[in-house]
Amino acid sequence: MTVAVGDIVVSGSGLRWCVLGFVGNPSGGQDAKLIRKNSEGTFTGLQKDAEMLIPVETPVFESGDAVTIDGFKGTYMSRDGDVARIMLEPRRRQLSSGGFVEIEAGVARASFALLVVQNRSPL
């Protein structure tokens, strides 16, 4: 079974990873670039032969689902290939001068794999 960007997989270590993308390898096959959150909340990545991965889940987001991307709350809109479209909620940002600036709602494009990593637990 083949895997795609955004799929949750297991490698030889038994840890769950998300497929971030694919690159060619020296033997003519494809390696999958994998990503997951580590215990510090940052990301860890590695590269494995795509044929050696065991698919666990193909995450699906429905239009209107509440999501978070890079700490910003929003609503999932759609997916175009490896990119997700998210309507970010309006927010305030504090300026160094002590004032605030209002940021209106807007559409953001984000890696579908990063959306999965940040919104599916545990990963």
Side-chain angles (χ1 to χ4, degrees):
M1 176 181 243
T2 60
V3 295
V5 170
D7 284 356
I8 297 173
V9 298
V10 175
S11 68
S13 67
L15 293 175
R16 292 165 52 108
W17 295 85
C18 183
V19 178
L20 182 63
F22 297 94
V23 293
N25 63 29
S27 62
Q30 275 201 326
D31 283 351
K33 296 189 297 183
L34 306 176
I35 191 169
R36 69 186 320 270
K37 273 191 177 178
N38 61 31
S39 59
E40 290 88 42
T42 59
F43 298 103
T44 300
L46 63 93
Q47 196 168 305
K48 287 277 190 178
D49 185 338
E51 296 293 321
M52 304 304 290
L53 300 174
I54 301 166
V56 173
E57 177 186 355
T58 299
V60 175
F61 293 92
E62 299 292 330
S63 183
D65 285 351
V67 295
T68 303
I69 191 76
D70 293 336
F72 298 112
K73 293 180 181 181
T75 304
Y76 177 80
M77 296 174 65
S78 62
R79 179 178 177 181
D80 183 20
D82 299 343
V83 176
R85 294 182 59 211
I86 301 149
M87 176 61 75
L88 295 177
E89 294 179 357
R91 58 201 180 279
R92 294 175 81 181
R93 178 161 235 147
Q94 186 167 6
L95 301 173
S96 58
S97 64
F100 288 93
V101 64
E102 298 289 331
I103 302 172
E104 294 184 14
V107 177
R109 294 170 41 94
S111 161
F112 185 74
L114 290 178
L115 182 70
V116 170
V117 170
Q118 295 179 28
N119 290 276
R120 288 292 192 261
S121 182
L123 185 61

